[in-house]
Structure formats: C-alpha cells, structure tokens
Amino acid sequence: MTGRIVAISGPTVTVDLKGVKLYDMVRVGEAMLIGEVVRLERERAVVQVYEDTRGLGVHELARGLDKPLTVRLGPGLLSGMFDGLQRPMERLFRQCGPFICSGSDLTPLDQERQWRFFPLARVGEEVAPFDVIGYVEEGAFRHLLTAGASGTIGRLADGEFNLTQPVGAFADGREITAIREWPVRKPRPYRRKLSPALPLVTGQRAVDFLFPLARGGTAVFPGGFGTGKTVLEQAVAKFSAVDLVVYVGCGERGNEMAELLDEFTAMSDPWSGKPLMERTIVVVNTSNMPVAAREASIYTAVAMAEYYRDMGYHVLLLADSISRWAEALREISSSLEEMPGEEGYPTYLASRLSGFFERAGVVETMNGGIGSLSMVLSVSPPGGDFTEPVTQACLRTAGAFFMLDTSLAHRRHFPAINWFQSYSLYERNIVRHFTAEVSPRWEELQRRCREMLQREESLREVAEIVGIEGLQDADRLLMKVAERIRLEFLCQNAYTEDAFSTPEQTAAKIGEILEFHDRAAERLKEGILLDEVLKG
Amino acid sequence: MRLSEHIYRTISSIRGPLLSVERVFNARAGEIVRIVRPDGEAVDGEVLKIEGESVLVQVFGETRGLGMDAPVAFTDGVKMAPLSPDMIGRVFDGSFHPIDGSPPFIPARWTPATGQPINPTARARPEEFIETGITAIDALNTLVKGQKLPVFSCAGLPSREVAAAVLQNARLAGGGEFVVVFVALGLTHHDYSFYMESLAEMRTGFVAFVNRADEPVVERLLAPRFGLAAAEYLAFDRGMDVLVLITDMTNYCDALREVSTAREELPGRRGYPGYMYSDLASLYERAGRIKGMAGSVTMLPVVTMPEDDITHPIPDLTGYITEGQIVLSRELHQKGVFPPVDVLPSLSRLMQRGIGAGHTRGDHRAIADLLYRHYAKGRELRRLEAIVGREGMTAGDRVMLDLAEAFERELIHQGDTRRDISGSLDRGVELLKRFSLEGA
C-alpha cells in the first residue's frame, strides 16, 4: 500500500493511502518516519507521526505497514532501555551517535545473542498458543517461551540458538520462533483476574506502614515540582519486593534517566542481591523527544510488563509522569482539531486512563500460573493544584493516593507524603496480612501513630495561640514524640542506608518510639518534670 | 528534493506574522522562505502547515508594509545555524546576523537550529561542581556542570545582577573557565547595556544573541535555538565548557503565546499554548554532558514570575523541566540582602552528586542539612512570633529566631564579594557554632 503526503501540520500528516485500517502503522516521507493512522476520511488517512516532521515535504511517499503499533517480545528485553516505539537506545547510540536520528529501523531484540533453549514440552504434544514449550535463562529469570499457535509439536530444539532461528516446529511444518509480536494498545489475555491481597513492600516506611500497596494494585502520587516525585519513584523502583520492574520515563528529564541508568547498574536488588538493572526494563521518552511517541510509550511499557506477568512474575510498572502522557494526548488531540474538554484535555482522557489502569491486576495466566502487574504512577499537577483534570481522573481509578506536599518538601521532609490527605484502599487487607506475618502489634501501632499525628496537628493550632509553654506537660510530650515520628520514622533519606526498610525494621522502629512515649508518660504521672523525662 | 529556490507571488492572506501562500508545489514542513518587502529588504519565514498546495508561513520579522504581491521564495531548506569558533566575541541579532559592525564569519559547519534530542543513554551524569562564588548557591543549592538551573525572579528584583555575578565568578573545579553564550530576549536597552558591560569585563569569550524589546517578537522564538545550537557546537564539537544565560524566559513564553494566538490555536492555561511544556523542554533539555566527549552545556535561564506567583504557568512548567531553581525573594531584597536568594523554595536536584569529598568537602552535606533544618525552623517560628510576640517564646525558640536572622544577614548576604566554597562552608560552620547547633 503506497500513497503520497497531501498535508502536514506539525506531527499530523495526511496521506492519500487507500485500504489502511485505523491504528495501522505507516511510514511517511523519504526519511521513513513512523506514524499511526488516527483517523480515516474517505480516500485519506490522518497519520500521527512519532518523529520530528521538520523537512518532510508534500508529495513524498507514504507506505502502510498493514499492522498496528506492535512490540516485539522475546528473550533479551531485561536490562534494556527503549524509547516509546521500543527502539533500543543503546544500539541507537552506537548506530547514529549521541543525538537521536529519525527513521531508524533497529529491532528491539538483539538478534546475535546466543540463548540456550530448555524444552519443557514433548514432541507429539498438542499445544495451544499460550502453552509453554520451553524456556531460556535470562539472567536469574526463567524466560518461558510459548507455542504461539495451536498444533502438534513436531520438533523442538535443545541447545544454543539465536533469535533469527526457530526453537522448534509443528508437525505440519510451521516454525515456532521465540519472538512474539503484540499490538501495544490491546491488553494481553489471561484466564481470570484475582483480587489483590498480598502486600507490595516498597521499603518506604510512610508507604508500607501508613498507606500500604498491594501486588496487582495501582497507586498515584501527585506533587508539584520539587516535592520529590522522581526520587520517590526511583526509590520504589529500587527497593520494591517484586520480580521485575518496568520504568517509564515519560516526558521527563534526560539527566534523570542518565542518573537512573548509572545507579541501577551500580546498585543491587536488596531482595535478591543481583544487579538492579538485571530485573529492570526502562522505557524512555524524555520531554524533548517527540510528543506522539510519548503517548505511545506507556502502552509499549505495559505490553512488555504484561508479557513477563504472563510467565508468572510479579511485575511493577512505574511511570514518571502520567501528566506528561496526558499532555501528549492533549497536544495530539488539539492538532487533530478535536473538541476540547476540561482545560483543553480531550474528553476521552478519563476513559483512556482508566483503560490503562485496568491493565494492572493479579491474574491467573493463560498457562495456569499466577502473575501480577502493579502500577505506581506519578502525577505532575500544574501549579501543584490537585483539582486539575489529570489528578482527578487518576483518583477515580487508582487504588492508592499519596499526596506529595510542597510545604513538607520545603522543610526537607522526604518522602513528602502528606499523612492526612493520602489514602490506600488496600489498607485493610494488607494491614491484616502484616499483623499476621510481621508483627502482631502492626494494626495497633498504625492506629496509635495516626492518632498521635492527628493530635499533634490540633495541639499545634492551640500552641500557635497560647504558645508552647501554655500546653500541659502530657501534650508537650506528645508534641515531642510526634516530632520524632515525623523526623525519624516518616522521613527517609533516599541517599543513605536508611533508604530501604523491611517491614520488620519498620515495625520495630515505630514500636520503639511509641514505647518511649509510654514510658515517658508513666514518669510524668509519677510527678517527674517534663525536661527530666525527655532526657531519658 | 527540488534543490532550487521557487518564487511565488500568490499570497492570499496576511494576518499578523502569518502568511498564506497558494499554489505552492512540494513545500516542506519547516522549510525556510524569504519574502522581499517593497523597500527591498528580505525577511525570513518558516512553513508551519501545508494543506495540499496552500501553505501557512510564519514570518520572523516585521510584516508591516507587506503586500499581497510580495514575492515569496521557497528555499527547500530548514532553518540552519552557521557555526564556527569565530563566533566567539561576536554579537548577533535574533536571526544570527552580526550587529557588532564586524563582517560575517565563515561557517565551519551548518546544523539545524532546533537540534536533535540527546539520546538518554549517551548522556553523562552531571556531577562536576561549579563554583559560582555565591554561598546561597554553592553551599546550599550546588550547581554542577551540565545542569539547567533557572533563576526565578520577581519584577524589580536584581536578577540581572545575580546572573552577572554568576557569569563573572563561575569557575570549574580546578579553576577552568566557561565560554558564555548570552541570549537576550525582549530586553530593554537599559538591561542590554548592563549585560554587555559585564560580558566585556569577562576574561573568557562570549557569544551574544540579542533580541531587544522593540524587535520582532517571532525572533524571540528563534534566538534561543540559535544560541543553543552555538552552545552545542562549542561544547561537543570543540570541547569547551559553555554556560548559557537566557534572559528573560518570560518574554519567550509571551512570544510563544502571541504567535500561538495568531495561529488560532486552542489556548491552554492563562492563554499559553498547550504544547508550551514540550516547547520549553526542547530548549532546556539541550543542556547536558555526553559520554566520551569533552565539553558541556550548563544553562542558567532567568524567569521573571508574573505577579510574583511561582504557580504561574511559566515558572511552573520551567520548574518541572529544570533540575531545580534559585528563587529570589522580595522580602530579603527589602532587607538589603544581596543576592536575595530564598533558600527554602530553592533547590538543586543534582547537588547530591556534585558535593562531598573529591568534589567540594566531606562535611558539605552535613553542614547544608543542618543549616537548612535550623533556618526552616527559624522561619516557621517567625510566624509564631508575629502572634505571641518574642516574649511568649521559649529560650530555645528565640535562639532559632536569631539564627534565622544571622543566616540571612551573614551567610546569604555577601554583597559583591566572591566566596570560594571553603569560605562559604566555614562561614556556615561558624554560624552553627555560635548558636551551639553544630551536630544537633
């Protein structure tokens, strides 16, 4: 299918291609830029181009690829860094230098690399498309390979192969390869969804203790600039107790991504001791890379995450930040001259977002395993105003909400999670789990900690009027202890040893502070002066 | 490819800086056109939109006096920046034409003015300390090579004096100096001459791109792109460390809004276009370092916050892209503190890697954290003091109040003197000692 370009307006290019389908990929112009059909009108197709269209001319050729935007899935994705179209950034660097070139056609998976195939199915066995036929070892992970189609297995390889070679064949001669293609906008299938009941330990005390997350759950944390979204997002990526992490740098800073790569290569996973990068896939579309590819990047990422989920792994998808994705959606929508909704965002913003969130969950996979995909997304509300459409749309679907507070950040209280406004819908289940598994006092400690913070807030208002001297000793003690909770327990310096805390350490730490309070309160009752009591 | 200029006399409408030209054969997106005005002077424009054979052109310059019969030449090329080390020491207008009276230089290379994004895997992590000589920056919000750190100012605050102090005093670790690329956007003549004087006093070289307040608005969108193309060339082709000062980004954003409105685009917050974030990012993200290459681009944009409001779209979007911000405060300015940097909302995101043993001093982080914590506490107590009075406060709280005062008057305030990092940190330690707060 070929045609010619008839109109260009920014990233939106109109071509006179006949026979293409909506959301099919198209290559346009001499530079062979990649785009996606977003609208069909009579003889014409409107194409959203994923790359800079500067220099593109009308009458240049356009070619339909007859397939939607797909990712290639197979061994070798782990520890890779891809852009929103799944181009491997490191090989792109080697191919065209430090500045990104357009129209590149690099395949995401390394075709040269040798893998050892371990068969699990037997010759003569009847298999369905999602049945496991064998595996390769990808770092510490057993990378399951599926049949990809139904049939009777006629032959299976055993030993070394690379991705250009088949790993077997059906009895009727069809080859079985290790690579799958999957349209990114379509959720991968599973047998059924289970409800999230197990905790996702992040190592962040404020999260694990006050607003715990569940495997298969979703969380958002909105915060104005400088409230530590990225630092928190990266801390969660480093320390979470999951098998695999897919990190999307969506419209954020290039230097941050360089930092992330550096750190993830140098650091090891606190749970397995292996280098962090070996369990991580990074998808990156920095703020200055083309906007349309930014919109696609979260789908590219989630398709890869689902692929590993389907092998029975617990995968965590992190995106920083979903607001930049929404803004990309807005830019595309406005270049298509669609009717705008609130603040210029298209009216389908909320439905697209919830469709994306719904790809998270604990599932029974097509081959009977249990895997989960959790999501933790940061939101960058303009002006730190949480009433804006993206934050509000996220709140309707996300299971947990951590409000990052500018005033806490100014006081250098990090992570700046506001303990009054944030919430987690998984709390009840997960607290029960921690109480059973970690510390029988977990639930009680959590309730008391909350009460104390609440009480501190109301005492502070009183103290502003009468002065701290005007408070009773018991209340002044409480203020002191609440301050310790804030500074020693809720604050966690991401750059020190303290950056990571196991649930046991978390429970011990808060237990120790509350016991100090109880002992001190006893001594106050005995008539000992507050200053004496505080000395210990 | 047409490989030749095509000239048309088919303008069908002129609205502000926008021209529609009809019956154009094979135009390109972003193609540069040249329009000859009746007085014989030529202005450049750029193709924004093509719809079959009709083309929408944005003119970089004055459209007053232009008629429907003006000839429009399509050049088949995109906006290119002529680059050469000979740029150093020269002053250009927003369209890269020399305005210092010397003849044009011979370019060694041409590159598209908009540049290409740096591959994130090719970026080297910024971690080399830059000593600006200002305590509020060096000790508390450290700048590193390859960072973009804007100065958020308010109308009437001495942002240009602060910027000029950084230009003159900035040194690399080991004493190396910067080549400065100075981009002036919509500057008044008064401000412009102030900057040119301080540039002239510098011992190292500079390249200046100047768009004054009475010059075409559209050029304001072009000048920073030329400035950054020049900076990238000097940094990554010639291995120099480049410091880019862009002032004032507020004028840039207003120009963007003006042009966007003329294009009849859907306005976003406060009338600024919805793509302003991406547009600003295409400038700010050009700062950085590249693996295996000498040279660096460090950026220091100046943003004047309209209505002193940090949540206004311009500082807001800037803060979301840049790696921190230096915030100037009207209150400190009125107290006579120079530079009037309010360290609480200020931040340098890349500070962590640029300080400590081997960069500055082993005790840097500890000193900075203590100063921050106590000053924040003192500032919070000031509000309380306003209600209950100093007498109603505990002795401990009064110490914090005094510390906050001394912090502003002795540590932040430094007038015109340059302090090296050791001097800055020593002063901080001395202050903590005086109030017996070290290690607390």
Side-chain angles (χ1 to χ4, degrees):
Chain A
M1 273 177 289
T2 55
R4 291 193 178 271
I5 298 173
V6 292
I8 306 170
S9 167
T12 308
V13 172
T14 310
V15 296
D16 62 353
L17 267 179
K18 275 175 234 127
V20 289
K21 293 183 280 299
L22 204 59
Y23 287 106
D24 267 5
M25 293 232 274
V26 175
R27 283 201 179 255
V28 295
E30 281 155 17
M32 303 276 281
L33 307 179
I34 303 177
E36 198 179 33
V37 177
V38 290
R39 188 182 283 170
L40 289 170
E41 288 165 355
R42 294 173 199 278
E43 310 276 85
R44 294 175 162 197
V46 180
V47 176
Q48 184 65 43
V49 178
Y50 290 127
E51 299 176 89
D52 190 5
T53 54
R54 208 173 291 265
L56 202 63
V58 286
H59 284 275
E60 286 185 25
L61 280 180
R63 189 162 57 85
L65 301 185
D66 201 27
K67 61 173 187 188
L69 180 62
T70 52
V71 280
R72 289 165 78 84
L73 303 166
L77 291 173
L78 290 182
S79 73
M81 189 185 218
F82 305 94
D83 74 353
L85 303 176
Q86 215 200 6
R87 280 185 294 219
M89 298 310 279
E90 262 169 49
R91 272 185 287 142
L92 195 66
F93 174 26
R94 288 202 292 274
Q95 191 194 46
C96 66
F99 295 93
I100 295 174
C101 50
S102 307
S104 156
D105 202 11
L106 281 176
T107 134
L109 296 165
D110 189 344
Q111 310 274 9
E112 318 269 276
R113 187 162 160 191
Q114 290 288 320
W115 298 95
R116 194 178 145 68
F117 178 73
F118 299 91
L120 289 174
R122 281 181 316 275
V123 171
E125 201 174 321
E126 287 286 329
V127 289
F130 288 96
D131 283 352
V132 176
I133 54 157
Y135 68 92
V136 298
E137 276 168 356
E138 187 176 8
F141 297 93
R142 208 175 236 231
H143 186 120
L144 300 181
L145 298 177
T146 54
S150 309
T152 314
I153 293 181
R155 181 172 58 79
L156 277 183
D158 192 350
E160 301 265 311
F161 76 107
N162 69 29
L163 294 180
T164 59
Q165 298 161 332
V167 293
F170 290 108
D172 56 11
R174 285 173 296 149
E175 284 186 342
I176 305 176
T177 60
I179 298 179
R180 299 281 165 271
E181 294 206 343
W182 191 265
V184 296
R185 296 184 196 276
K186 186 174 156 193
R188 282 174 66 86
Y190 47 82
R191 277 193 197 153
R192 64 193 177 103
K193 248 185 191 169
L194 311 168
S195 71
L198 291 177
L200 193 160
V201 175
T202 62
Q204 308 303 301
R205 286 187 293 266
V207 175
D208 292 343
F209 188 68
L210 290 179
F211 312 106
L213 290 180
R215 281 186 176 171
T218 53
V220 291
F221 48 93
F225 66 81
T227 50
K229 282 188 301 297
T230 302
V231 176
L232 180 58
E233 188 93 337
Q234 295 192 1
V236 172
K238 284 175 200 161
F239 303 123
S240 284
V242 288
D243 298 318
L244 295 168
V245 170
V246 178
Y247 189 99
V248 196
C250 183
E252 290 286 315
R253 307 175 181 92
N255 279 335
E256 263 167 16
M257 298 316 295
E259 195 173 324
L260 179 122
L261 279 186
D262 249 31
E263 281 188 2
F264 276 44
T265 315
M267 286 178 66
S268 43
D269 175 5
W271 303 92
S272 72
K274 297 256 165 40
L276 263 181
M277 207 55 208
E278 285 183 12
R279 69 161 200 182
T280 312
I281 300 174
V282 180
V283 176
V284 54
N285 239 86
T286 56
S287 52
N288 55 338
M289 285 158 75
V291 165
R294 193 198 297 167
E295 194 274 331
S297 66
I298 63 165
Y299 294 105
T300 300
V302 79
M304 290 193 277
E306 283 175 342
Y307 175 66
Y308 281 95
R309 173 204 69 186
D310 291 346
M311 295 175 208
Y313 289 117
H314 298 285
V315 185
L316 171 63
L317 181 130
L318 296 140
D320 185 21
S321 103
I322 205 72
S323 296
R324 305 295 165 230
W325 169 82
E327 280 162 15
L329 199 67
R330 175 169 69 184
E331 276 183 43
I332 294 167
S333 159
S334 98
S335 75
L336 292 173
E337 296 176 351
E338 292 173 339
M339 184 77 85
E342 214 179 331
E343 294 201 18
Y345 288 103
T347 44
Y348 48 78
L349 168 71
S351 57
R352 289 270 173 97
L353 253 182
S354 48
F356 177 72
F357 275 115
E358 278 306 289
R359 292 176 77 166
V362 187
V363 300
E364 185 186 329
T365 63
M366 294 299 281
N367 44 49
I370 301 286
S372 74
L373 170 55
S374 321
M375 293 184 185
V376 175
L377 315 173
S378 72
V379 182
S380 323
D385 170 15
F386 295 144
T387 61
E388 57 94 34
V390 182
T391 313
Q392 289 305 316
C394 285
L395 283 185
R396 274 189 270 159
T397 11
F401 164 66
F402 310 138
M403 181 190 136
L404 298 188
D405 190 331
T406 312
S407 69
L408 286 178
H410 281 182
R411 276 189 270 156
R412 297 295 190 265
H413 176 116
F414 290 112
I417 298 174
N418 180 303
W419 45 88
F420 295 123
Q421 307 283 333
S422 307
Y423 62 79
S424 162
L425 301 177
Y426 311 110
E427 188 179 328
R428 184 196 282 262
N429 280 341
I430 305 298
V431 165
R432 205 176 295 148
H433 178 92
F434 279 138
T435 309
E437 303 288 326
V438 179
S439 157
R441 297 178 58 210
W442 189 284
E443 193 171 350
E444 176 219 331
L445 290 173
Q446 199 214 34
R447 183 179 46 78
R448 287 197 54 201
C449 172
R450 278 243 166 84
E451 277 170 12
M452 247 176 210
L453 292 167
Q454 207 104 47
R455 183 94 181 105
E456 184 201 20
E457 186 67 11
S458 38
L459 284 176
R460 194 201 303 267
E461 281 163 24
V462 178
E464 290 213 343
I465 303 164
V466 301
I468 191 101
E469 306 282 78
L471 294 180
Q472 290 181 349
D473 277 358
D475 289 341
R476 285 178 62 189
L477 170 66
L478 188 135
M479 296 279 280
K480 278 282 172 209
V481 174
E483 187 181 5
R484 274 191 69 188
I485 294 181
R486 283 189 284 113
L487 296 181
E488 293 170 28
F489 182 71
L490 295 177
C491 278
Q492 226 171 321
N493 188 332
Y495 301 108
T496 59
E497 290 275 293
D498 192 38
F500 165 71
S501 172
T502 63
E504 288 76 15
Q505 289 167 334
T506 300
K509 192 153 197 164
I510 187 71
E512 189 263 314
I513 296 176
L514 293 178
E515 272 154 28
F516 167 81
H517 173 263
D518 296 347
R519 275 200 314 275
E522 279 302 313
R523 295 181 65 197
L524 271 186
K525 271 191 203 144
E526 288 164 14
I528 301 168
L529 289 175
L530 180 67
D531 288 341
E532 288 292 312
V533 167
L534 288 179
K535 270 180 208 152
Chain B
M1 282 288 202
R2 302 192 309 271
L3 301 171
S4 63
E5 279 196 5
H6 285 192
I7 297 174
Y8 295 89
R9 287 178 186 272
T10 47
I11 298 179
S12 63
S13 78
I14 307 179
R15 275 176 297 138
L18 300 182
L19 300 184
S20 295
V21 189
E22 301 299 327
R23 299 197 297 283
V24 179
F25 181 67
N26 286 7
R28 287 174 184 284
E31 182 172 351
I32 291 302
V33 301
R34 192 168 309 112
I35 305 124
V36 183
R37 294 163 25 134
D39 55 11
E41 229 178 277
V43 283
D44 278 358
E46 188 183 46
V47 173
L48 284 184
K49 195 170 171 177
I50 313 163
E51 184 74 56
E53 295 188 332
S54 31
V55 170
L56 187 68
V57 171
Q58 170 173 310
V59 182
F60 301 122
E62 194 51 72
T63 45
R64 199 178 304 146
L66 217 56
M68 305 280 270
D69 56 347
V72 182
F74 283 71
T75 60
D76 200 36
V78 299
K79 195 83 189 166
M80 301 293 269
L83 302 167
S84 150
D86 297 339
M87 300 180 293
I88 296 176
R90 303 292 306 270
V91 184
F92 304 94
D93 70 3
S95 298
F96 220 147
H97 302 130
I99 51 168
D100 51 5
S102 306
F105 61 91
I106 298 163
R109 224 190 114 179
W110 292 81
T111 60
T114 44
Q116 287 288 348
I118 301 177
N119 184 328
T121 50
R123 279 183 189 268
R125 203 171 154 169
E127 54 189 11
E128 288 160 77
F129 171 63
I130 295 175
E131 190 179 82
T132 63
I134 295 173
T135 306
I137 298 176
D138 291 350
L140 297 160
N141 295 289
T142 316
L143 175 70
V144 296
K145 216 164 92 175
Q147 186 173 12
K148 39 196 180 293
L149 190 66
V151 176
F152 285 3
S153 177
C154 309
L157 295 191
S159 60
R160 48 169 214 206
E161 282 80 3
V162 174
V166 173
L167 286 191
Q168 293 189 334
N169 293 324
R171 303 271 187 287
L172 288 164
E177 298 195 27
F178 287 98
V179 174
V180 170
V181 171
F182 172 64
V183 183
L185 303 172
L187 233 53
T188 60
H189 185 78
H190 181 64
D191 286 340
Y192 164 68
S193 16
F194 173 86
Y195 277 116
M196 290 317 285
E197 273 164 33
S198 32
L199 284 175
E201 281 169 26
M202 285 186 43
R203 278 158 301 163
T204 50
F206 68 87
V207 188
F209 294 86
V210 178
N211 166 276
R212 265 171 291 196
D214 54 355
E215 286 173 331
V217 166
V218 186
E219 266 190 2
R220 260 163 234 173
L221 304 180
L222 217 51
R225 294 191 160 78
F226 280 132
L228 287 161
E232 277 173 356
Y233 170 77
L234 294 174
F236 303 127
D237 278 30
R238 300 279 156 180
M240 301 178 186
D241 289 304
V242 185
L243 185 63
V244 183
L245 173 70
I246 308 182
T247 180
D248 183 320
M249 284 307 290
T250 306
N251 293 335
Y252 175 86
C253 293
D254 284 350
L256 198 66
R257 174 167 69 177
E258 199 175 320
V259 171
S260 163
T261 317
R263 287 191 208 170
E264 296 180 349
E265 288 168 341
L266 213 61
R269 224 164 27 120
R270 300 247 187 156
Y272 294 97
Y275 52 78
M276 191 157 89
Y277 176 82
S278 304
D279 188 277
L280 285 174
S282 74
L283 299 180
Y284 294 142
E285 277 291 325
R286 291 172 82 172
R289 289 169 63 227
I290 290 178
K291 280 180 195 158
M293 288 189 176
S296 62
V297 177
T298 308
M299 212 187 291
L300 207 67
V302 176
V303 175
T304 302
M305 299 184 281
E307 302 154 33
D308 299 7
D309 177 10
I310 200 165
T311 66
H312 183 280
I314 300 172
D316 191 48
L317 295 180
T318 297
Y320 271 125
I321 305 164
T322 55
E323 285 127 359
Q325 64 276 340
I326 300 295
V327 182
L328 303 188
S329 139
R330 200 175 283 285
E331 198 188 325
L332 288 177
H333 180 57
Q334 273 154 3
K335 275 189 179 174
V337 174
F338 181 86
V341 177
D342 186 350
V343 297
L344 294 189
S346 299
L347 174 72
S348 165
R349 292 170 191 270
L350 301 180
M351 173 172 182
Q352 186 62 27
R353 291 282 293 197
I355 62 171
H359 296 281
T360 54
R361 244 168 58 176
D363 56 353
H364 190 154
R365 168 54 66 190
I367 297 172
D369 283 351
L370 273 180
L371 285 170
Y372 249 115
R373 176 133 54 88
H374 294 310
Y375 177 60
K377 179 101 187 163
R379 281 273 295 266
E380 208 179 294
L381 288 168
R382 267 189 201 159
R383 285 193 303 135
L384 188 60
E385 188 193 13
I387 304 168
V388 301
R390 197 179 160 87
E391 290 68 34
M393 303 179 75
T394 62
D397 287 352
R398 273 182 245 154
V399 170
M400 297 316 252
L401 283 176
D402 293 341
L403 172 101
E405 197 61 29
F407 177 90
E408 288 168 2
R409 293 204 183 278
E410 295 166 34
L411 196 66
I412 299 299
H413 179 71
Q414 62 186 92
D416 293 331
T417 48
R418 180 182 198 283
R419 286 191 200 140
D420 64 14
I421 179 66
S422 246
S424 288
L425 291 177
D426 287 345
R427 245 167 206 273
V429 173
E430 189 273 321
L431 196 71
L432 290 168
K433 276 207 180 119
R434 190 172 352 137
F435 291 91
S436 319
L437 291 168
E438 73 269 40

